[in-house]
Every structure is written in structure tokens, then in C-alpha cells.
Amino acid sequence: MAVDKQKALLFGAAAAVRLLLFTAFPSLPNLLTGRVEISTPVTSFKRLQEGVFLYTHNVSPYDGGVFHQAPLLLPLFSLLPNPASHPFATNLLYTIVDLLGANALMQIAETGQSVSSRLFTSSRKDLRWSTIAVGASFLFNPFTVATCIARPTSALTNFFLLTSIAKAAQGASVTCILALSFASYLSLHPILLFPPLLLLCYDVRVTKSKRSLNPLAFSLSHIFGLVIALALLLYLSTLLTGSWEFLAATYGVRLLLPDLTPNVGLWWYFFIEMFDSFREFFLGVFWLHMASYVGGLSFRLRRQPLFVVSSLLGIFAIFQPYPSIADSALYLALVPLYRHIFPLMRYSFLAASTLFYTSFLGPAFYYLWIYAGSGNANFFYAITLVWSLGLSVIVGDSLYAALRDEWEVERPEMHGKEIRRI
Amino acid sequence: MLSSLIFLLSLIFVTCTQADSDYHERLLLRPLPQSALLASFNFRSNESSASFEHRNFRYFPRSLGQTLQHAHTKELHLRFSLGRWDAESWGARPWDGTREGGTGVELWAWVDASSDEEAFARWLTLTNALSGLFCASLNFIDSTKTIRPVISFRPEGHHTNSSLLNLHLLHGTLPHEVVCTENLTPFLKLLPCKGKAGISSLLDGHKLFDASWQTMSIDVRPVCGDGSECVLEMEQTVDMVLDIERSKRPRDNPIPRPVPTEELSCDTSKPYNSEDSCYPLDKDAEPSWSLAEVFGRPLKGACPLTDASGYESETVCINVPTEREVQVNTSGTYAEERHEDGLLRCYKLPTGVDFDLILPEQVPTANLALEEPPLYAARSINGHGQERGSVQAVITNPSTTSAIQFVYLESLPWFMKPYLHTLRASISTSPSSNPIEETYYRPAVDRHRGTHLELLLSIPPASTITLTYDFEKAILRYTEYPPDANRGFDVAPAVIRLLPSNSSPNTKNVYLRTTSLLLPLPTPDFSMPYNVIILTSTVMALGFGHIFNLLVRRFVGVDEVENWNTGGLKGMLKSRIERLRARFLGKGKKDE
């Protein structure tokens, strides 16, 4: 009961902070919605408002170059009152989404899959943070709070992803597949998380049922379920918009990058300066690069599928076409689950300082470029490079720590000794 | 007998054909306040539709006629404009704004086609052909600059109802286009007298493009009189507002020089008035000017193709008060007629000899009443920074009695993304009512189509409408910026069409256009394509390489691989040093 009371207190405090920021600073949501670090052309709330306006006035929102978000969001947000005049309903929706995401995260922490899965148990498994601490680190992370206040639709994607991981860690296949299909429907890249989530679900189900499941039948049934769920969502979207043109406007934009608005990622400046004849080649290379991590990580870390999922989320936060701090907030939410390998990480101070440094310099250099006119695009571009480097240091370092932890189960005498990689 | 009959028949035939194709030209001069002069040149050529279809061109230029036939264009309106019409000083626009275009080049045409795609293909044929004919970059009017207005333009010609079904209206605009002499020369070549006689001999690129405001327009439309057969009429108009003082500067010496001190008229009531400081007095007298001075070249008599007598033969008209002295300087015979209670003096020019009108300096007793414009409109960009902004249009109805219903058309480039949910229109006199009655909106698609926004608004008397909407600026690809990227991009002017009121439904349409906008966009660093590619690739390679190494390599303890692999330069040097040491120290040991 004490845990429930603490949980209620935590959720109450988080909701209070968010609602306080929404109501005490009425211009803050629109200010944050306009920031490129939080809102991207495929997740921005202002563009969602434009899409809902066109949808309610019988103009196809996908016939234009402004709205690039999933069609099923349109009836959902047209039910809510107009955010310009009555913002409370929208604010409440996003606060609830954050709290539900934190709830899912705490469910993941409770299952203990991060320290002991079916095939692997860490030798340091007693070094864990409580589920309350994990939930608090997500809810009070400034990136998460800023994402909630700015109301981009990546907050909804985060919620669906956390739910999907939580259900996979609990062995609930149907909900996992459904949540993953919603997340992939909203933003294209979560579909790449399907293999490690499948492995996680399989491990948990086998542990729970204490008998072996046929892996082939398991995978086929889950693939079939995912395909059916996605097809249903796409079919509903077609019914809603009347044609298939939304595909080019939503997923085509993520694949082909026609909108080059600056964000915290690596893609935009690269494709601004790219000559036209190489554009398709490099788009293919970038997407292939991002997708290539799935196979390698899943194969090598077969015994820790939850770690694969969290590393992939970190990799997506760096190498996605339109990343924002919402994606890094999601990754940083899963990192505290691996408290037991923090002593093995070598560059944690460097990475943390880098993230801190770029979080402040990024907006400053953006202001210098766009508003003051005294800096140019290279300043902001350099900060995005440093941000990506900082995140990739965390991803790489935690991968090293997890691999070493795995190896030390076989070679316990190597605790604390220097090692090399050959 | 037979020969005389044939002669008579041929005479009748010639007079009949003579009546079908005729040519009219007129120059209207109107001095405006603050020593400005409005000069409006109008040239009209008619060709019967029958002879047009049989490709018999007389006064209608063959080059333009063949272009129109090839592109299946039934009605064409082409405008080249520069400058800004100052409605507060100069009053209502000439021709009610129907012969005016937005800054740069504006083209709209009714194209005969069976489908939208065919109409667009014929439109591209038309723009490319006109681009070659007028030496203007009209070939840049592609799908990103073309819109299909719904209620902003009505055909000026007479088309049968069946042909109207197949006619597609397409409108293209190039606000960045600079209009200059190379566009004037082909324009003059389309005239029958080709700028060598008649009023067209006054047109000179140096003076025309130095004007405060100028428009060159070409309108081709079918006109069907009652009962008689249809005629294809081509109307060419050049309107300009010249500053008299600036135009009187000689062509070879255009630098403005200060007036010598003796000729300055100083305000002697000022305390500091002395021989070295002077407060210049506003000249209350109207300046003296003459046609040859202001236009830089003499008017070389009449174009012989105009009518010999009647109203149409008076080719130069000047709109001045009755007291204004106008002297005629010519060696040939001319005729002067006064119309409109003496306010309009028209002259029939002599052929073959120069003609000049001289107006000496005179203090005016009564000023010519200028017609008040029915609507004032101004448009600007608000906001700062290169990320977003908002457009604000302020439209004022000066009339105290009549409300006006008008159409507001905007054609925006694709990299300016308006947010229609932020469109607000407010009336100054009744803040709670919404003046927007209808909205036609086609959103832009990146790199394919621009924004098309048409609003039907009504403004009550003596009030002001303020129309605002937010937009976001896109950042373009490296190759899409012009060489002067930091100047910005031009946005086409808004077109406002005043609808005829219900009380007088047969009045002509009145048009007015706002100025164009300059839109600065965020620019990347143009010196850095290679650097950006290698830096980003480095970051990606660092991430990928680190993770790849971790996944592929296995761990071993440090002490376990001491003797196995100390590879690399260090290992090689170490082994060399060991061997040398073994040789020398070993030898030394042996010696000892």
C-alpha cells in the first residue's frame, strides 16, 4: 500500500506541475510549440491544428504541404474544443498521456526484466532503483515536461511505445502488438522495434507458462497480428480521408524528406547541402543505416531483449529523420532501468555534460541564426552534431557496460579488471 | 461595261474589308498633383474572326496571332508593371485598374481545352511562346506559379455559352521579373506603326522605366457587336506616371544637379534666411513642360492608319483645367477640339511633321478634381526573424454611403506556408462581425504548387478591414536559392476585384493591386556542402563504428593477450629495439 500511496503522490505532483505550467503561463505552450527542438514538421501541434481546421472545413489536409500526421488523429482532436480558446481539454489529454506513459514505464521496472530475463541474470541484479524513482526520473525530466507542454504528437507515440514495451515485458501479446501498431502508424520507425519486442514477449511467455512454445508459430502469429492491425488502421484512415493520398503525405515525408526544417537531428542540413543527383542515394543510405542496427543488436544481445529495445530507442533518437527531444526523453526514461551497469560505464560524466551543454547552446545558436542574424546555420548545425555525439556516447557506453556485464557472468573473476576487445 | 462593274465591285469589297479591320490610338495626358504627369497610351487593333481563322493578319500582329492559335487561347491578358500607384495623391487608377498588373509580370488567359491537364499543357505552350516573343522570363511560370482563380477574373470578351464550358482560366505571376527596354521593344513591334509614327514614337525606354509607376498591358479578346460578326480586338496600353522635374533632365546628363543659388526661391519669412541658408519655397506654380522635353523625343506626327476624321482621329488628349495654357508647336495642320465642358482638349495630329505640346509655367486657379478611388489597400509582412511571420492587409472604404463587396486573391509561393486557422478579419466599425463571406482555398504542395487563397469580403461604408494570417517560412535546398540569396524572395501582389453593386449591376469591374512583398528566408552556409557531408558522415561513422566494434569483438582480459598481438607500429618498434639490444648487449657480454 505504501507503494500505491507513493505512486499516487508522484502522479499527483507530476500532474500538478504540468497543469500549473499550462495555466500559470498561458503563452508558454505556444512558445514551446514553436521551438524546433521540440516540434518537427511531422509532429507539430500548430500543424495539427491546421490539419483539423482543414478537415472540419471539408478541405483535404493531405492535399497540401503543411500537415503530415496520421489521419486518425483528426477526428480525435476535432472532438476536443478549439485549443486557441479553450485549451484545458488538450492540456489535460497530454498530461494524462504522460501519466499513463509513466505508469507503463513503472510496470516495466516492476517486472525486473532489465536485470534478469529468461536466459540471463546479471550478477549485479540487486543494484536497482525503485520503480517510483524510475517513474519520477521520467516524469520530472525537463525534456519530458517540455514535450508535454509543447503538445507534439510524438508524446502520443512515446505513450504507445512504452505501453507496448510494458505489455511485452508482461507477456501480453495482443496489447503489445496493438500498441506497437499504433506507434508505427503514428511515426513510421517504431516498426523496427518489432523483432526485439517479439523476442522479449517470447521469453516472458515461455517463463510464465513454464513450457516451450514453438518459436516459428509464435513469430508467424505475431507477424500476422501486426500486419492485420496495421492494415486495419490504414483502411480506417482511407475511409476517413477518402483516398490513399495520405500515404505520400505522412510516410512519404519521413522517407523522402521534402521538408527540411531544422531540428536536433543530422538529416536536415545534410540534405539541404546535398546536390539533387545524390539525394535518393543518401536517403536510402540513411534509412538503411538506421535499420541495420536492429538485426545486429538483436542477434548479439539475444539474451537481453529489453536492453536491445532501449538501445534501439536511443539509436532512433539520434538517427531518425525528424528527431526531437521527445525521442531522447523516451530513451532517457529507459536508461535508469539499467542502474546495475552504471558502475561499468566509463564516460557518463562526459555524456551528461555534453547533453547539458548542448541543451543550452542549441536554442542560443538557433536564435543567433534565425532572429539576430549574427550567426549562421553552422552554429546550430555544430550543436546538433555535438548533441548526437553525446547521445551516441551514452548508447555506446551502455552497450559496452551491458556486454561486459553479460561476459562477467561467465568469467566472474574479471570483476573490476581491465579488459580489451579483440 | 464589265470592267467598270468589276471596278465598282472591287471598290465595294475594299471598303467593306476596310470597315472590318481598323486601328485606333490615343494618348491621354493628365497632370497630377506634386508635378507628376499621367500619360496613358492606348492602341487598339481589330481583326474579324473570319480573317483571323484564315490567318489573314492586317493590323493584328501575326506573331501574337499565331501564338494564340497554337496555344488555343481565346482571351489573353498580359501585364508588365513597375512601381507603386500612390492612390492618396493621384486618385483613382486609370482604366479602373483593369489595365494594370502586379509588380513584375502577370499573365492570365482563357485556354480552350477538354481537360485540366490539356489546359495546363497549352498554358505552358503559351507561356513559353510569349517568353520568346516579349524577351521576358515567362517560361518560369510553371506549376508552382500558376493558379486557377474562381471569382477574381471574368472574361472581358464575348464567348458563347458552349465555348465557356471548355475555357479554363489560368493565372501566372512573376513578381521578381524586372521590366525594361527589352520588353518595350517587342511591345512596340506589335504595333502597326511600330513606334515610328503616331503617339508610339514618344515611347522611349529611358523615360518609361524611370517613371514612378508604369504598366504595359496587352489584352486580346473577342468582341461581338449586336448582330454583326465577331471581331478579335487587341488592345495595347502603356500607362505611366512621370515625375516632370526628373523627366526633364536631359538624357545625356541625367545626374540631378542642384539649382544655382540665384535661381532658388527662398522663404524670406524664416529667421535664418541669408545668402548661405535658404528654406526652399514650395512652388505654387505648375511647372512648365513640353512633350519633347518630358518624353525625350518628338512626336513624329500622326500614324496614317488612324481614322481621318471624327472622334477617333483625335489621337492626343490632355486633361487640364480650362484656364491652363497649352501651346501647340508644329509646322503641319492640326485640329483642336474641346470635350467634357472644356476639361479635355483633343488634337488631331498632322502627318509627317513633328508635333509638340508646350505648357508654360502657370499658377493654377483651380485644380482638376481627381476621382476618389473606391478602395484603398495596403499589405505588409509582420513579425521578425526568418522562421515565421504574418501577413497583414489593411483595406479602407472611404465612401460614407455605399458598402462594397470585393474579392481578395492571393497567390503565394510554396515556401511560404500560411496557417489558415489563424486567418482573422476584423472591421474597425463593428469588431464583432466577420466580413468574410466565402473562402476558396487550395493549399500549397512543396515544390509543386503554390497557395491559392480567394476571399469574398464585404466592407461597410467608412470603415477599415484588417486581414491577418500567420505563415511559416520553409528552408530551401542548396540549389534552390538565387545567387543573391540574402535579398529574399518576392511574393506576388494581392489582387482585389470590386464586385458591381446590386444597385448598379452593369458597372464595370474595378481592380486594384497591392504592392509585392519581400520575403527573406533562412539561408544555409553556401560555402560548406562538402564540409557538412563529411562532418555528418563522421558523426554517423563514429556511432556506427563504436557499436559495430562492441558487437563484433569479444572481451578478453588485458593480461591474457600480452604475447599474442602487440601489433601495429608500437609492436614493430618494440621488437626491433629488442633485437638490437639483444645484438649489442649480448655481444658485449660475450666479449667480457
Side-chain angles (χ1 to χ4, degrees):
Chain A
M1 286 307 113
V3 177
D4 273 344
K5 246 195 192 168
Q6 277 185 317
K7 192 170 167 177
L9 203 62
L10 172 70
F11 280 17
V17 165
R18 282 157 173 77
L19 291 174
L20 182 75
L21 284 173
F22 272 126
T23 43
F25 304 101
S27 59
L28 185 65
N30 282 333
L31 180 72
L32 288 180
T33 305
R35 293 239 44 107
V36 288
E37 294 93 348
I38 312 175
S39 289
T40 64
V42 292
T43 57
S44 165
F45 186 69
K46 191 159 186 191
R47 291 185 185 229
L48 179 66
Q49 280 179 290
E50 177 73 7
V52 169
F53 178 85
L54 291 176
Y55 171 72
T56 50
H57 285 80
N58 278 325
V59 178
S60 167
Y62 299 103
D63 194 26
V66 170
F67 184 67
H68 300 301
Q69 298 170 41
L72 287 177
L73 290 171
L74 292 171
L76 168 67
F77 281 92
S78 58
L79 284 176
L80 298 174
N82 186 5
S85 46
H86 302 98
F88 185 70
T90 319
N91 302 343
L92 195 63
L93 172 74
Y94 276 89
T95 312
I96 292 174
V97 160
D98 253 13
L99 294 178
L100 289 175
N103 190 32
L105 181 64
M106 287 163 72
Q107 285 175 350
I108 303 173
E110 250 181 66
T111 61
Q113 279 293 312
S114 55
V115 289
S116 96
S117 61
R118 174 170 80 102
L119 301 167
F120 170 76
T121 303
S122 169
S123 51
R124 297 177 174 82
K125 67 179 170 68
D126 301 315
L127 191 61
R128 280 170 72 180
W129 277 333
S130 64
T131 57
I132 298 290
V134 170
S137 76
F138 173 66
L139 283 172
F140 292 106
N141 185 356
F143 293 160
T144 319
V145 177
T147 309
C148 180
I149 306 292
R151 303 159 298 174
T153 48
S154 45
L156 295 173
T157 310
N158 285 2
F159 158 63
F160 283 120
L161 274 174
L162 283 170
T163 312
S164 169
I165 301 171
K167 293 306 168 195
Q170 292 170 340
S173 296
V174 174
T175 328
C176 167
I177 295 293
L178 264 179
L180 185 67
S181 60
F182 267 102
S184 315
Y185 170 73
L186 287 176
S187 331
L188 183 60
H189 61 91
I191 193 86
L192 294 169
L193 286 172
F194 180 66
L197 281 177
L198 190 68
L199 289 173
L200 180 63
C201 202
Y202 178 78
D203 278 354
V204 173
R205 284 274 285 270
V206 165
T207 325
K208 280 204 171 150
S209 69
K210 294 192 182 11
R211 58 179 172 82
S212 65
L213 290 169
N214 182 6
L216 189 64
F218 189 85
S219 338
L220 282 176
S221 61
H222 280 66
I223 292 170
F224 186 66
L226 185 70
V227 166
I228 293 288
L230 281 174
L232 195 67
L233 284 171
L234 290 174
Y235 181 65
L236 281 175
S237 313
T238 315
L239 286 180
L240 199 65
T241 55
S243 70
W244 290 98
E245 66 177 357
F246 75 94
L247 286 179
T250 50
Y251 305 121
V253 162
R254 288 176 189 266
L255 290 172
L256 297 174
L257 229 82
D259 192 324
L260 291 163
T261 310
N263 48 61
V264 293
L266 298 167
W267 292 53
W268 62 281
Y269 207 46
F270 191 88
F271 286 101
I272 287 177
E273 303 272 7
M274 175 62 56
F275 293 113
D276 292 329
S277 45
F278 304 110
R279 187 167 298 275
E280 285 84 18
F281 170 70
F282 277 102
L283 281 169
V285 164
F286 273 50
W287 266 103
L288 203 64
H289 167 256
M290 198 172 93
S292 64
Y293 289 97
V294 179
L297 279 171
S298 307
F299 196 74
R300 180 67 176 85
L301 286 161
R302 160 70 184 93
R303 301 194 289 167
Q304 300 184 62
L306 184 62
F307 186 77
V308 174
V309 170
S310 65
S311 292
L312 281 176
L313 283 173
I315 285 163
F316 293 162
I318 309 168
F319 295 120
Q320 217 200 96
Y322 291 104
S324 65
I325 62 172
D327 305 292
S328 27
L330 179 63
Y331 172 60
L332 293 173
L334 289 174
V335 163
L337 293 173
Y338 293 94
R339 167 73 180 95
H340 59 286
I341 56 172
F342 281 6
L344 293 169
M345 286 173 67
R346 301 166 294 170
Y347 307 120
S348 38
F349 177 70
L350 178 72
S353 321
T354 308
L355 286 187
F356 197 65
Y357 159 90
T358 52
S359 309
F360 285 104
L361 272 185
F365 283 162
Y366 187 76
Y367 177 82
L368 277 186
W369 172 33
I370 297 284
Y371 289 95
S374 59
N376 64 6
N378 295 335
F379 291 63
F380 184 67
Y381 166 64
I383 293 297
T384 64
L385 289 180
V386 176
W387 166 266
S388 306
L389 271 175
L391 278 179
S392 61
V393 163
I394 299 184
V395 172
D397 210 21
S398 62
L399 181 65
Y400 165 82
L403 286 170
R404 180 158 177 182
D405 189 48
E406 207 178 275
W407 181 66
E408 281 181 2
V409 167
E410 305 155 21
R411 305 273 307 266
E413 71 276 10
M414 284 313 217
H415 252 87
K417 299 267 181 55
E418 256 185 70
I419 62 164
R420 289 177 51 188
R421 283 167 287 159
I422 54 156
Chain B
M1 173 71 175
L2 192 63
S3 58
S4 59
L5 192 64
I6 289 171
F7 177 70
L8 196 65
L9 281 172
S10 55
L11 197 66
I12 294 169
F13 183 71
V14 162
T15 47
C16 289
T17 49
Q18 192 82 343
D20 282 340
S21 48
D22 44 359
Y23 172 72
H24 314 275
E25 66 175 29
R26 169 153 299 170
L27 164 61
L28 175 66
L29 296 160
R30 182 185 300 154
L32 294 171
Q34 288 158 19
S35 75
L37 172 70
L38 169 67
S40 181
F41 295 74
N42 183 254
F43 310 91
R44 259 183 303 127
S45 313
N46 290 339
E47 196 77 45
S48 75
S49 303
S51 44
F52 184 76
E53 269 150 51
H54 289 117
R55 297 195 173 85
N56 293 330
F57 296 102
R58 194 140 181 252
Y59 295 132
F60 197 101
R62 173 181 289 273
S63 48
L64 190 61
Q66 285 183 327
T67 303
L68 295 175
Q69 282 174 345
H70 188 57
H72 299 265
T73 306
K74 295 292 175 257
E75 191 171 325
L76 171 82
H77 300 274
L78 175 60
R79 306 276 184 269
F80 299 88
S81 303
L82 276 184
R84 183 185 82 94
W85 175 266
D86 188 358
E88 273 130 38
S89 312
W90 303 336
R93 288 164 145 86
W95 312 100
D96 286 326
T98 50
R99 296 287 172 261
E100 178 197 42
T103 312
V105 174
E106 192 174 339
L107 168 71
W108 67 98
W110 276 266
V111 177
D112 182 32
S114 48
S115 69
D116 280 347
E117 291 78 28
E118 199 184 10
F120 188 70
R122 289 183 175 168
W123 168 257
L124 288 180
T125 311
L126 178 69
T127 54
N128 278 289
L130 287 176
S131 154
L133 190 58
F134 289 101
C135 296
S137 327
L138 290 166
N139 53 325
F140 282 114
I141 297 183
D142 54 3
S143 61
T144 59
K145 296 188 170 64
T146 308
I147 58 171
R148 290 161 187 263
V150 178
I151 47 175
S152 297
F153 295 100
R154 283 278 168 268
E156 283 184 23
H158 305 117
H159 305 271
T160 61
N161 282 339
S162 54
S163 64
L164 271 176
L165 290 172
N166 276 340
L167 285 181
H168 300 255
L169 167 63
L170 290 128
H171 177 276
T173 171
L174 284 176
H176 190 51
E177 182 73 10
V178 178
V179 184
C180 57
T181 314
E182 65 185 16
N183 308 118
L184 176 66
T185 312
F187 184 94
L188 290 179
K189 288 226 165 69
L190 295 177
L191 298 169
C193 283
K194 289 194 179 13
K196 295 197 170 43
I199 55 176
S200 53
S201 58
L202 284 174
L203 289 170
D204 174 31
H206 289 85
K207 300 295 183 191
L208 173 61
F209 298 107
D210 196 31
S212 313
W213 174 82
Q214 66 93 359
T215 301
M216 298 193 305
S217 75
I218 295 163
D219 300 81
V220 179
R221 61 197 175 111
V223 172
C224 299
D226 339 291
S228 58
E229 61 169 35
C230 287
V231 151
L232 195 69
E233 181 181 275
M234 170 159 140
E235 191 174 342
Q236 283 175 265
T237 311
V238 179
D239 293 331
M240 60 173 114
V241 173
L242 297 164
D243 183 84
I244 293 177
E245 292 300 324
R246 199 164 75 219
S247 303
K248 281 195 326 188
R249 280 188 231 137
R251 186 169 140 174
D252 309 321
N253 188 14
I255 302 170
R257 291 177 203 284
V259 176
T261 337
E262 304 81 49
E263 294 178 27
L264 268 179
S265 57
C266 302
D267 187 352
T268 46
S269 64
K270 295 285 180 190
Y272 46 77
N273 184 50
S274 67
E275 48 200 55
D276 56 356
S277 50
C278 172
Y279 188 90
L281 268 177
D282 264 344
K283 282 200 171 168
D284 49 357
E286 286 210 15
S288 71
W289 57 274
S290 77
L291 279 183
E293 263 184 339
V294 160
F295 287 101
R297 19 153 88 177
L299 211 175
K300 291 190 166 51
C303 180
L305 298 168
T306 52
D307 280 348
S309 61
Y311 182 63
E312 296 294 345
S313 67
E314 294 156 7
T315 47
V316 175
C317 291
I318 181 162
N319 196 358
V320 283
T322 39
E323 306 83 39
R324 188 79 169 89
E325 188 185 336
V326 177
Q327 298 163 0
V328 175
N329 181 17
T330 179
S331 53
T333 50
Y334 70 94
E336 178 179 332
E337 286 281 331
R338 292 207 180 200
H339 304 279
E340 285 179 33
D341 305 323
L343 290 175
L344 190 68
R345 290 175 220 190
C346 292
Y347 300 88
K348 175 166 169 287
L349 303 179
T351 41
V353 290
D354 287 354
F355 179 88
D356 199 2
L357 281 178
I358 302 172
L359 278 78
E361 197 170 319
Q362 187 180 356
V363 178
T365 49
N367 273 329
L368 205 61
L370 291 171
E371 197 184 322
E372 163 124 72
L375 208 65
Y376 293 89
R379 186 182 67 156
S380 58
I381 289 187
N382 290 348
H384 72 288
Q386 292 174 337
E387 201 179 1
R388 58 181 65 97
S390 73
V391 171
Q392 176 180 291
V394 176
I395 302 160
T396 309
N397 182 2
S399 154
T400 47
T401 50
S402 52
I404 297 179
Q405 205 184 31
F406 64 95
V407 178
Y408 178 85
L409 169 70
E410 285 232 26
S411 166
L412 303 173
W414 65 264
F415 39 81
M416 183 172 164
K417 301 180 184 195
Y419 285 111
L420 208 65
H421 71 278
T422 56
L423 179 69
R424 305 270 175 271
S426 64
I427 308 180
S428 58
T429 49
S430 48
S432 53
S433 62
N434 185 14
I436 302 180
E437 293 172 14
E438 275 171 43
T439 309
Y440 297 88
Y441 179 62
R442 188 133 200 247
V445 175
D446 279 6
R447 296 181 183 85
H448 180 63
R449 199 174 72 206
T451 307
H452 169 205
L453 176 65
E454 257 176 295
L455 300 169
L456 180 67
L457 298 122
S458 69
I459 181 169
S463 46
T464 304
I465 286 185
T466 307
L467 196 73
T468 55
Y469 57 87
D470 290 349
F471 66 89
E472 207 171 88
K473 302 185 190 181
I475 187 167
L476 304 178
R477 295 176 187 167
Y478 182 79
T479 47
E480 288 173 349
Y481 286 93
D484 54 345
N486 289 300
R487 173 183 179 268
F489 291 79
D490 290 273
V491 178
V495 180
I496 296 177
R497 171 189 176 215
L498 276 70
L499 296 176
S501 60
N502 290 335
S503 52
S504 47
N506 287 330
T507 50
K508 272 179 62 181
N509 286 311
V510 177
Y511 284 87
L512 57 105
R513 284 167 174 80
T514 63
T515 49
S516 57
L517 297 170
L518 190 64
L519 182 75
L521 288 183
T523 56
D525 188 346
F526 294 103
S527 61
M528 293 251 304
Y530 174 67
N531 301 358
V532 167
I533 292 173
I534 59 172
L535 282 171
T536 305
S537 308
T538 305
V539 170
M540 287 173 61
L542 281 176
F544 182 81
H546 187 47
I547 294 178
F548 182 78
N549 270 340
L550 283 170
L551 293 180
V552 160
R553 296 187 182 200
R554 53 197 163 90
F555 294 127
V556 287
V558 155
D559 46 351
E560 291 169 12
V561 289
E562 184 67 74
N563 42 9
W564 179 61
N565 185 17
T566 51
L569 190 61
K570 218 168 148 188
M572 223 167 61
L573 280 175
K574 237 184 182 171
S575 61
R576 279 270 171 87
I577 291 171
E578 281 298 317
R579 261 187 276 141
L580 283 171
R581 203 190 266 174
R583 192 192 288 180
F584 288 121
L585 288 181
K587 264 193 177 162
K589 270 190 186 157
K590 265 190 187 163
D591 285 343
E592 277 178 350

